[in-house]
Amino acid sequence: MQYEKRCSPLTVVAYRSDLLLFSDFMSRHGYGPMWQARAKQMRKWIMSLLSGGMMARSVNRKIASVRSYFKYLLREEIIESSPCAIIPNVKTPKRLPVFLQNEDMNLMLDECDYPDTYEGQRDRTIIQLFYLSGMRLSELVNMTDNQIDFGNQFLIVNGKRSKQRIIPFTNVLNSILFSYLELRNSEFGSWTKGGRLFLTAKGEPIYPKLVYRLVHKHIEMVSTITRKSPHVLRHTFATALLNNGADLMAIKELLGHSSLNATQIYAHSDFEHLNQEYKQAHPWATNKED
C-alpha cells in the first residue's frame, strides 16, 4: 500500500489498525491466525462491531481493509479462496455532506478575530485556502512552495495515490498567498523544512491535528453544525460551486475524485436546498389537501 499503491500515510495507518482489530478478534475467540479466517468468522466479527455501536460506514471500511488483505493473499497464492467473497457490505443510510452557508463563511473570514501575528495570519490563510481550493487536509498539510505557480495562477495538488491535479486560482488567492509568504519568510527565512508552505510557531512543518483544531475552533464560532472538520470546508467549496452553476464534471476534477459517483452527493445537497426553499416559499407547499 505504501510503496506500490502509494496510499497516503493516514490510509496505511487506518488499514493497519483495521487488520490488527480483526487479528485480535480471531485470537481472542481461539480461531487461529487471521489468514485462516472463514466466512462464518467474518460474519461474527462484523456482528460484534455493529452490536458494539459502530456505525455501518466504519464497519464497511474495516471490511474493505480485510477484503484487500485477502486479495493480497490470493495473489501471492498463500490461500486458495477468500472468506470475503460472499460477505456483502453493511447497508448504510445516504449521508448528505455537511457544509457552511455563505453567510457563515463570510462571518468566519470577516468577523472572527485573527491575531496580528504569524500564527493568526497563517490560520486565516489556511481557512481561505481550504475554501478557495477544496483540497483535502493531507493535501494542504503537505503543500510546498513549489506547488504554487503565481505567474499562471494555479496550484499543483498531490492527491490520493500520488495523483496530481491542477487547481486554478484568482487574484484574491494570489494576494492572500503572496502576503502570507512574505510574513512567513520574514519570520523564518525563505527556506523551510521539506519546503513546506505552512509552519508552526516554532518553524516546524504543520501537522494534521493542529489544522483540525484551528478549523474546528473557527467553525464553532460561526455555526452550530455538528461536524466541524476541515472536510466541511471542502464540502462548502464544492457546494458553493454547484449552487453558482458549475458543472459536476468540473467539480469532480477540482476535487480530485476518481469517479463521478463521489461528486454526485453535491447534487443531492443542492436538491435539499431547493426543496427547503420551495417548502418555505410556496403558499401551497404545506397544504395537506390535494
Side-chain angles (χ1 to χ4, degrees):
M1 288 181 66
Q2 185 174 350
Y3 300 110
E4 294 182 18
K5 293 188 175 182
R6 296 193 174 277
C7 296
S8 74
L10 290 176
T11 301
V12 174
V13 169
Y15 269 63
R16 181 183 292 120
S17 173
D18 295 340
L19 293 179
L20 288 173
L21 187 66
F22 182 54
S23 177
D24 179 64
F25 172 83
M26 291 286 292
S27 177
R28 280 189 293 107
H29 289 81
Y31 294 141
M34 182 167 58
W35 63 271
Q36 291 182 348
R38 298 291 180 262
K40 183 179 180 180
Q41 291 149 4
M42 277 288 298
R43 290 193 189 94
K44 286 184 177 180
W45 178 57
I46 293 167
M47 289 305 299
S48 72
L49 296 177
L50 292 170
S51 61
M54 187 173 291
M55 300 296 290
R57 194 177 298 273
S58 298
V59 173
N60 283 337
R61 196 204 70 193
K62 296 182 187 307
I63 293 172
S65 300
V66 176
R67 186 177 285 130
S68 177
Y69 167 74
F70 280 106
K71 279 184 180 179
Y72 169 79
L73 295 183
L74 281 171
R75 191 167 63 248
E76 296 296 314
E77 298 182 349
I78 296 172
I79 60 174
E80 295 181 356
S81 62
S82 169
C84 302
I86 57 173
I87 301 294
N89 280 346
V90 179
K91 288 187 178 180
T92 58
K94 288 186 178 179
R95 187 173 66 182
L96 295 177
V98 177
F99 59 91
L100 290 169
Q101 300 295 335
N102 289 338
E103 316 85 72
D104 294 332
M105 202 66 224
N106 291 336
L107 275 175
M108 191 190 304
L109 295 173
D110 299 333
E111 302 297 330
C112 284
D113 181 35
Y114 295 92
D116 192 19
T117 61
Y118 166 71
E119 284 184 283
Q121 296 312 301
R122 177 206 62 195
D123 293 355
R124 181 181 174 85
T125 302
I126 285 174
I127 289 173
Q128 288 171 316
L129 184 56
F130 271 131
Y131 181 53
L132 291 169
S133 70
M135 65 175 63
R136 300 177 178 93
L137 172 59
S138 60
E139 295 166 349
L140 184 139
V141 166
N142 294 306
M143 191 102 183
T144 65
D145 294 8
N146 294 334
Q147 290 173 245
I148 307 171
D149 188 324
F150 284 104
N152 296 303
Q153 293 195 323
F154 63 76
L155 304 170
I156 302 170
V157 179
N158 295 318
K160 289 184 176 180
R161 299 186 179 179
S162 299
K163 291 181 181 177
Q164 284 193 336
R165 68 184 186 279
I166 303 297
I167 300 179
F169 60 82
T170 63
N171 292 333
V172 174
L173 187 54
N174 194 315
S175 176
I176 290 167
L177 291 173
F178 191 81
S179 297
Y180 163 73
L181 283 171
E182 278 193 323
L183 176 62
R184 188 204 67 186
N185 293 345
S186 70
E187 291 278 331
F188 306 106
S190 58
W191 182 87
T192 66
K193 290 185 178 180
R196 293 291 184 84
L197 176 61
F198 293 109
L199 304 176
T200 68
K202 295 181 179 179
E204 298 290 329
I206 59 167
Y207 46 93
K209 281 188 177 179
L210 185 153
V211 178
Y212 185 96
R213 286 198 301 265
L214 76 88
V215 171
H216 185 282
K217 180 182 75 173
H218 285 88
I219 292 179
E220 199 166 43
M221 290 179 182
V222 300
S223 176
T224 57
I225 58 175
T226 53
R227 297 182 65 197
K228 300 178 178 68
S229 69
H231 220 69
V232 169
L233 299 182
R234 177 169 161 87
H235 291 324
T236 304
F237 165 82
T239 304
L241 289 178
L242 185 65
N243 289 344
N244 285 280
D247 180 71
L248 267 180
M249 283 301 295
I251 297 174
K252 168 185 173 294
E253 295 301 319
L254 290 169
L255 292 175
H257 286 161
S258 58
S259 166
L260 189 60
N261 289 334
T263 319
Q264 291 284 357
I265 61 171
Y266 298 106
H268 292 306
S269 69
D270 188 46
F271 172 77
E272 288 298 313
H273 171 71
L274 291 174
N275 188 33
Q276 184 178 4
E277 290 294 314
Y278 166 74
K279 288 180 177 178
Q280 289 178 352
H282 199 286
W284 285 11
T286 57
N287 193 338
K288 295 182 181 179
E289 296 180 4
D290 293 335

